[in-house]
Amino acid sequence: MTILSSIDKGTEGGGGELAGMRIAILAETLYEDLELWYPYYRLREAGADVFVVGSGSAETYQSKHGYPVTVDAEADTVTASQFDGVIIPGGYSPDHMRRYPSMVKLVREAHEQGKVVAAICHAGWMLASANIVRGKTATSYRSIKDDMVNAGANWVDREVVRDGTLITSRSPADLPAFMRPTIAALRERRGTDIADRYQVVLAT
């Protein structure tokens, strides 16, 4: 299993619009297949280093349809500062994820640090547990609308909603729409980081 130093080192990725960026995809049992693997490969295609982070309850999780994913690290061995973004798939897994304080903390701190947090379908449960949707416009699978509203979100029925660095979507059918602003937000973050480093160089 990946340890902190391994994630900091990254993988041997190629070029791409997100080259050098590190993204965490959260995993727990009964995740929705497409909502984990579509972002996983789309982000890798864009050049990002992608790490699957689990709750610590297992090293391999089965999807709703029995497809396994092996985690690279457990949530209590990583910190939000090691990643540029966090992706939260739906299915039944978010209801398991939010039982683990380390997973909720990772999402909350990523948001507090201005990292990209993208959640689809039932992943809104994790946003509610992390208390990061209050005052935000967001969407989710319609069955958890009340949970989102009770957590303080301005819930809307759209295929994708971006409010700052928080991106939400409704279902697997919305995955193409979900990933477009997610990748755009990550590109913006990469540009800001490069500009910040350039300012440091100038100052020295």
Side-chain angles (χ1 to χ4, degrees):
M1 188 170 294
T2 301
I3 58 175
L4 291 174
S5 59
S6 299
I7 287 182
D8 282 331
K9 185 177 180 181
T11 60
E12 295 182 2
E17 58 190 330
L18 301 183
M21 303 198 80
R22 295 187 297 263
I23 314 299
I25 295 185
L26 305 190
E28 244 289 353
T29 190
L30 298 176
Y31 68 89
E32 161 44 54
D33 305 56
L34 288 174
E35 291 171 358
L36 188 150
W37 291 108
Y38 187 108
Y40 180 89
Y41 284 113
R42 181 65 187 89
L43 291 165
R44 286 191 59 189
E45 178 186 36
D49 292 329
V50 184
F51 301 89
V52 179
V53 178
S55 67
S57 64
E59 292 191 5
T60 300
Y61 296 108
Q62 302 294 317
S63 73
K64 288 170 59 178
H65 301 99
Y67 196 81
V69 63
T70 300
V71 304
D72 298 303
E74 298 174 356
D76 61 1
T77 70
V78 298
T79 63
S81 62
Q82 293 175 285
F83 301 103
D84 297 290
V86 176
I87 310 294
I88 314 169
Y92 301 115
S93 62
D95 192 31
H96 293 273
M97 291 177 195
R98 62 180 177 167
R99 304 175 196 185
Y100 295 87
S102 57
M103 295 204 91
V104 176
K105 179 182 177 184
L106 181 62
V107 173
R108 183 177 62 252
E109 292 187 349
H111 179 70
E112 290 173 349
Q113 293 172 20
K115 309 298 179 66
V116 176
V117 176
I120 186 168
C121 201
H122 286 75
W125 276 333
M126 277 292 281
L127 306 183
S129 292
N131 193 27
I132 63 171
V133 291
R134 190 166 304 279
K136 297 284 188 178
T137 299
T139 193
S140 67
Y141 192 65
R142 63 183 181 274
S143 67
I144 67 166
K145 172 185 175 180
D146 290 348
D147 304 78
M148 297 287 282
V149 170
N150 289 335
N154 171 33
W155 191 91
V156 294
D157 184 14
R158 299 180 197 156
E159 62 179 1
V160 64
V161 177
R162 178 179 175 184
D163 190 332
T165 57
L166 181 66
I167 296 144
T168 50
S169 205
R170 300 174 304 189
S171 71
D174 299 324
L175 277 163
F178 176 62
M179 290 308 297
R180 284 193 289 270
T182 298
I183 289 175
L186 288 166
R187 281 202 311 264
E188 290 168 15
R189 174 173 174 76
R190 184 183 184 193
T192 300
D193 286 347
I194 291 171
D196 288 344
R197 288 196 295 270
Y198 182 65
Q199 291 298 325
V200 170
V201 171
L202 289 178
T204 58

